[in-house]
Amino acid sequence: TVIAVTGTNGKTTVTHFIGQLLKSAGVKAAVIGTLGLFIDGVHSPYKLPKMTTLPAEYLHPLLKKCEEKGVTHIVMEASSIGLSADRLSDCEMDVGLLLNVSEDHYDEHGSKAAYIQAKQKIVSMVKTLVVNCDDPTCMEMLGEMQNGVTYFGKSDAAHVQLLPNEGNPYIKTSSGQYELTYRTTEEFNRMNAVAAISALSILSFPFERIERAVEQLKLPEGRMQKFERDGVTVVIDYAHTPDALKLVLETIA
């Protein structure tokens, strides 16, 4: 089972969240992306090019190695560069996630329209989609496609909806409301958790089965990583786009 995640921001966090939730459900999963290869949450020392999305000559041998190790689920980042270069064209993907679209890689693609068009490729490459219904560009990318789409977000259109609350927020699904026990004050990481939960719901994992695991979610290295020494707090985050940097600065302000 192959799950591909694309979006301007949050790909690494969401892929690792999905990997952690799959592991908690007893599934042997591998995560492939910016930080390398992780199997069951453990970094694997395979020598790979430092690319978010690997070309076929690296990806397919790696998939074979994962299968030989008993991995049944692959979660990987699908970058706009990787999609536009057709690196995933011969990789059958079951679930695709559209997280968000904002300013990034316009120079590499030549224009904003070309960047969006690259991201849009994933729509026709997967069997089912999980889409952020709060992002207008993501919704436009679907075109007339309606079947096989699960929406997540804050709006009433979401199948997996994040509801505000004075304490922990709640998640509303077709099976009921559940407290989002992931301990974070960062709204964008709450949404990343909701995206990951939505992916597991697509794969028919009941929310009751993963609810306790949500509380144990951990951010990958370099994402809102805090260090304190001699009264000084340092926050390390990979934020490299205007939107991502703005969110991080607003959070720590």
Side-chain angles (χ1 to χ4, degrees):
T1 300
V2 178
I3 305 162
V5 181
T6 195
T8 305
N9 303 306
K11 293 187 295 296
T12 301
T13 298
V14 172
T15 53
H16 281 263
F17 278 179
I18 293 172
Q20 292 170 37
L21 292 176
L22 287 170
K23 181 181 179 182
S24 74
V27 174
K28 195 174 184 68
V31 177
I32 305 172
T34 305
L35 301 180
L37 169 67
F38 290 75
I39 298 178
D40 272 348
V42 178
H43 187 256
S44 299
Y46 289 114
K47 291 185 178 180
L48 300 169
K50 291 189 178 298
M51 297 179 175
T52 299
T53 303
L54 297 173
E57 61 266 31
Y58 292 99
L59 177 62
H60 288 267
L62 188 61
L63 294 177
K64 182 180 180 182
K65 288 179 180 178
C66 288
E67 188 176 35
E68 290 170 350
K69 287 182 174 292
V71 170
T72 60
H73 289 65
I74 300 288
V75 192
M76 59 183 176
E77 298 180 49
S79 68
S80 61
I81 301 296
L83 289 166
S84 65
D86 295 322
R87 294 176 190 168
L88 300 177
S89 293
D90 294 307
C91 181
E92 293 185 8
M93 297 181 288
D94 299 280
V95 180
L97 278 76
L98 275 174
L99 301 180
N100 48 66
V101 177
S102 62
E103 185 178 342
D104 194 19
H105 296 305
Y106 289 1
D107 49 348
E108 290 99 328
H109 290 284
S111 67
K112 175 182 178 180
Y115 171 66
I116 293 173
Q117 189 175 25
K119 291 282 189 192
Q120 192 175 22
K121 280 191 172 186
I122 200 170
V123 173
S124 59
M125 296 173 69
V126 300
K127 297 174 184 176
T128 56
L129 275 168
V130 175
V131 179
N132 179 0
C133 62
D134 297 337
D135 189 297
T137 305
C138 287
M139 296 299 286
E140 289 173 10
M141 288 163 65
L142 292 177
E144 296 181 0
M145 182 178 180
Q146 297 295 331
N147 296 328
V149 180
T150 292
Y151 298 114
F152 75 93
K154 299 177 185 176
S155 75
D156 292 337
H159 298 107
V160 183
Q161 184 182 12
L162 182 65
L163 299 173
N165 185 46
E166 289 184 5
N168 287 334
Y170 280 80
I171 294 177
K172 181 181 178 182
T173 71
S174 59
S175 61
Q177 288 189 187
Y178 307 90
E179 186 178 5
L180 180 64
T181 53
Y182 173 48
R183 306 298 180 182
T184 182
T185 57
E186 304 131 20
E187 190 72 11
F188 58 92
N189 275 325
R190 284 176 175 171
M191 288 300 292
N192 287 335
V194 173
I197 291 165
S198 301
L200 264 74
S201 72
I202 279 277
L203 297 172
S204 300
F205 288 91
F207 190 81
E208 295 87 343
R209 187 176 175 184
I210 62 170
E211 186 177 8
R212 283 174 291 180
V214 173
E215 187 174 358
Q216 305 302 319
L217 287 176
K218 295 180 180 179
L219 288 168
E221 183 180 354
R223 274 67 184 172
M224 294 302 293
Q225 205 169 1
K226 294 182 180 180
F227 298 91
E228 294 188 12
R229 183 175 177 180
D230 298 330
V232 177
T233 301
V234 176
V235 178
I236 298 175
D237 194 90
Y238 189 68
H240 65 286
T241 66
D243 279 359
L245 184 58
K246 179 175 181 288
L247 289 170
V248 168
L249 292 175
E250 287 177 347
T251 298
I252 64 177

